[in-house]
Amino acid sequence: MDQFISAFLRGASENNFQQLAKEFLPHYSTLISKAGGMLSPETLTGIHKALQEGNLSDVMSQIQEAISAAENAVLEVAVIGQSGTGKSSFINALRGLGHEAEESADVGTVETTMCKTPYQHPKYPKVIFWDLPGTGTPNFHADTYLDKVGFANYDFFIIISSSRFSLNDALLAQKIKDAGKKFYFVRTKVDSDLYNEQNAKPITFQKQKVLQQIRDYCVTNLIKTGVTEPRIFLISNFDLGMFDFPKLEETLLKELPGHKRHMFALLLPNISDASIELKKHFLREKIWLEALKSAAVSFIPFMTFFKGFDFPEQEQCLKDYRSYFGLDDQSIEEIAEKLGAPLADIKGELKCLDFWSLVKDNSIIAQATSAAEAFCAVKGGPESSAIQALKVYYRRTQFLNIVVDDAKHLLRKMETVNVA
Ligand SMILES: Nc1nc2c(ncn2[C@@H]2O[C@H](COP(=O)(O)OP(=O)(O)OP(=O)(O)O)[C@@H](O)[C@H]2O)c(=O)[nH]1
Ligand SMILES: [Mg+2]
């Protein structure tokens, strides 16, 4: 049972709000990932103040607003760079699509990106990646480019190069900065640099040394063209788990406003245990906020809040979690194919597929009831809604943990194939 929710139920029964307010922020910071959580500093201050004042309606409405803002957040990402540098491949990778998937951005060895094209994320339609025309064309003018592509709409810019960054890239970065937006330099195709270097110098080849050389070369080059302290992320679009992609993910998350972080975290690929844990942090935070909101509501007189969390809602919840972690039916089929294993065998190894055996676990209801009774007995009244709130909390947490375990299990299996 989450310590703060228990303390909340007890504190609210005894009107001990000062103590709750004191514990709120330290507890919140233990829940979120190092990339931050979904509450903005203003919301955190607002909830803290409402707790201090014992104003539970305000606690409830601020949490509700923050959850809605996160669920409805729109994210538009601009991907810019010269032709052939890997813009479309990068977009496809972030959309979780292979190059040959039907809706994938065109990937080719001729100049295929001629005008700005939006690509919606297949699972998160409010997330749009913009494939922007090559900066290497003779028509490019840094002064007018941003206006032409409508810069104000983008949350951040990814400037891509597969060799050194050009003067145009640097000029553009300066303009993006002047417009008060964030940009990140991404150097693609480091896999082929390493491959070429290893072939050319098989005896003296050192992977880390080559990566450092690429980094130094890009940094020096950008500094020469006037960019101060450029941040460069080396990646391979063919293997996002390698090189600097995890660092890029974390940096982007950290620098997004709180309400946009949640959705972006959910769409990131499951490339490592760390990325699965990162996603888990965001979902755990949401489960916790919803439980806290419901717990607050159970102390507000005449407030009926409960929308119901019966089997259909529970089934949907499990389905959503499976989808966030790439364990939806279609993804499992694709994984089985990649592993060259019978689908039934792979399914047999996963616990998250058997909804009914998970919900048969009645210990959750017993835990919720006894936790709520222990803390709510003082005043009477709110027990039944507090029990409901805790039931939801326990059930969601159970689903999340099972799905995360399964996602890690499949990742392990995929790693053995990739190594082989
Ligand atoms: N080895 C390697 N090849 C890559 C990588 N990213 C892209 N490619 C290849 O580079 C070529 C060009 O990639 P695209 O994604 O089409 O590049 P683009 O920037 O969209 O090109 P335009 O649409 O012409 O502007 C394709 O053959 C890709 O398969 C990478 O990280 N590593
Ligand atoms: Mg393209």
Side-chain angles (χ1 to χ4, degrees), residues 157-349:
F157 293 77
I158 301 283
I159 304 177
I160 288 195
S161 172
S162 55
S163 54
R164 67 189 184 92
F165 290 91
S166 67
L167 178 62
N168 283 347
D169 293 327
L171 290 173
L172 199 55
Q174 189 56 46
K175 295 281 169 204
I176 294 169
K177 197 172 164 195
D178 293 346
K181 299 271 179 178
K182 293 221 155 62
F183 60 88
Y184 306 88
F185 288 110
V186 168
R187 166 62 159 81
T188 54
K189 305 192 189 180
V190 293
D191 55 314
S192 52
D193 289 282
L194 289 172
Y195 178 81
N196 293 340
E197 196 69 17
Q198 190 165 19
N199 273 343
K201 302 172 191 159
I203 298 168
T204 55
F205 173 77
Q206 281 178 30
K207 184 173 156 187
Q208 287 312 325
K209 210 168 144 199
V210 177
L211 291 173
Q212 193 56 45
Q213 277 166 353
I214 299 174
R215 199 183 302 280
D216 291 346
Y217 180 62
C218 289
V219 169
T220 315
N221 200 253
L222 280 167
I223 290 175
K224 260 195 231 154
T225 50
V227 182
T228 46
E229 297 180 19
R231 288 184 296 179
I232 295 177
F233 299 89
L234 310 188
I235 71 160
S236 162
N237 283 320
F238 298 160
D239 190 352
L240 294 184
M242 299 283 284
F243 315 113
D244 291 342
F245 186 79
K247 212 165 81 195
L248 174 65
E249 265 181 8
E250 198 186 316
T251 310
L252 291 174
L253 273 173
K254 245 189 218 157
E255 298 187 2
L256 273 172
H259 71 289
K260 300 212 181 202
R261 277 186 198 140
H262 184 75
M263 197 166 317
F264 191 62
L266 294 187
L267 72 81
L268 293 171
N270 299 329
I271 46 178
S272 62
D273 276 1
S275 65
I276 292 173
E277 281 295 319
L278 184 98
K279 227 179 253 194
K280 182 181 176 187
H281 269 95
F282 276 90
L283 288 163
R284 203 176 60 170
E285 177 190 357
K286 189 156 180 257
I287 294 173
W288 182 81
L289 284 171
E290 273 161 350
L292 184 58
K293 183 190 82 178
S294 304
V297 172
S298 58
F299 287 91
I300 303 173
F302 312 116
M303 187 99 184
T304 47
F305 79 101
F306 210 68
K307 279 205 287 226
F309 194 61
D310 297 327
F311 287 139
E313 287 88 5
Q314 295 186 28
E315 204 166 5
Q316 188 57 47
C317 171
L318 181 61
K319 223 172 153 186
D320 290 343
Y321 289 169
R322 284 178 47 200
S323 165
Y324 299 149
F325 289 93
L327 296 174
D328 47 285
D329 291 338
Q330 194 191 331
S331 303
I332 294 173
E333 272 175 40
E334 285 166 12
I335 290 171
E337 210 168 290
K338 276 187 199 147
L339 291 171
L343 180 60
D345 289 4
I346 298 296
K347 282 185 163 177
E349 293 174 23

Side-chain angles (χ1 to χ4, degrees), residues 120-186:
Q120 211 171 31
H121 194 283
K123 285 188 187 167
Y124 308 97
K126 294 196 183 88
V127 179
I128 297 177
F129 295 95
W130 288 89
D131 192 332
L132 297 187
T135 45
T137 56
N139 296 334
F140 175 84
H141 296 290
D143 285 338
T144 53
Y145 184 85
L146 286 184
D147 279 330
K148 259 203 220 152
V149 297
F151 73 94
N153 299 334
Y154 305 116
D155 289 285
F156 56 84
F157 293 77
I158 301 283
I159 304 177
I160 288 195
S161 172
S162 55
S163 54
R164 67 189 184 92
F165 290 91
S166 67
L167 178 62
N168 283 347
D169 293 327
L171 290 173
L172 199 55
Q174 189 56 46
K175 295 281 169 204
I176 294 169
K177 197 172 164 195
D178 293 346
K181 299 271 179 178
K182 293 221 155 62
F183 60 88
Y184 306 88
F185 288 110
V186 168

Side-chain angles (χ1 to χ4, degrees), residues 11-83:
S13 307
E14 297 167 359
N15 275 324
N16 187 3
F17 290 107
Q18 291 305 320
Q19 185 58 27
L20 285 177
K22 219 194 251 173
E23 289 172 18
F24 172 67
L25 289 174
H27 188 76
Y28 180 76
S29 62
T30 64
L31 283 179
I32 58 175
S33 76
K34 55 185 173 176
M38 69 193 227
L39 299 185
S40 67
E42 298 74 40
T43 306
L44 284 169
T45 313
I47 296 174
H48 178 256
K49 185 161 169 279
L51 275 172
Q52 250 175 349
E53 293 164 355
N55 185 346
L56 294 183
S57 312
D58 203 21
V59 171
M60 176 204 77
S61 57
Q62 294 206 51
I63 294 177
Q64 185 49 53
E65 263 172 46
I67 291 174
S68 305
E71 283 174 346
N72 296 311
V74 171
L75 191 69
E76 303 207 31
V77 179
V79 181
I80 300 186
Q82 295 188 21
S83 177

Side-chain angles (χ1 to χ4, degrees), residues 81-90 99 106-113 131 134 188-192 235-238:
Q82 295 188 21
S83 177
T85 50
K87 296 181 296 299
S88 302
S89 306
F90 181 75
H99 299 324
D106 245 351
V107 172
T109 44
V110 288
E111 196 171 321
T112 46
T113 307
D131 192 332
T188 54
K189 305 192 189 180
V190 293
D191 55 314
S192 52
I235 71 160
S236 162
N237 283 320
F238 298 160

